[in-house]
Amino acid sequence: DGTLNKLCHLRDYVDDTEDYINMMLDEKQNQLLQMGVMLTTATVVITAGIVVVSLFGMNIHIELTLDPETPEMARIKNRKFWETTWATVAGCAAIYILAIYAGKKSKYLQ
């Protein structure tokens, strides 16, 4: 009877240990999935920036792409280029922050 009782306790201990290990593995898997969601979100946001860059890379005729005739026009063109660049970077960063905030608010991310 005593040996059977010890074996039952040992089996319960092994089951509890197995459950604990499975919970730890599930937690690590959830962390990896969350990292995957964050990286995928970053990829989507960077793609939005690439769309803006590709629009300016096309051979379309807009005021920003015209050849400057004077040094003043060159400065204006250079300023507009940097304004567009920084606005695109800031827009992408803002979209990424909003997406992560929305994910955390909806409890998809911790």
Side-chain angles (χ1 to χ4, degrees), residues 40-100:
T40 303
T41 304
T43 303
V44 168
V45 169
I46 289 171
T47 303
I50 290 172
V51 168
V52 172
V53 171
S54 66
L55 289 175
F56 283 103
M58 291 182 187
N59 291 326
I60 56 177
H61 298 287
I62 57 175
E63 183 180 326
L64 186 60
T65 62
L66 296 177
D67 289 330
E69 298 173 4
T70 64
E72 180 64 28
M73 288 298 293
R75 280 194 294 274
I76 291 172
K77 181 178 177 182
N78 192 24
R79 188 187 74 224
K80 286 183 180 181
F81 169 77
W82 286 111
E83 286 174 356
T84 304
T85 300
W86 288 115
T88 302
V89 169
C92 288
I95 291 171
Y96 181 73
I97 290 169
L98 286 173
I100 296 301

Side-chain angles (χ1 to χ4, degrees), residues 3 5-6 8 16 22-23 30 33 35 43 55 58-59 74 80 84-85 87 100-101 105:
T3 305
N5 193 20
K6 284 183 183 181
C8 286
D16 291 343
N22 284 335
M23 287 189 311
N30 288 340
L33 288 171
M35 182 60 70
T43 303
L55 289 175
M58 291 182 187
N59 291 326
K80 286 183 180 181
T84 304
T85 300
I100 296 301
Y101 174 74
K105 187 175 180 182

Side-chain angles (χ1 to χ4, degrees), residues 1-12:
D1 244 3
T3 305
L4 180 63
N5 193 20
K6 284 183 183 181
L7 287 175
C8 286
H9 286 297
L10 183 62
R11 184 180 62 197
D12 290 340

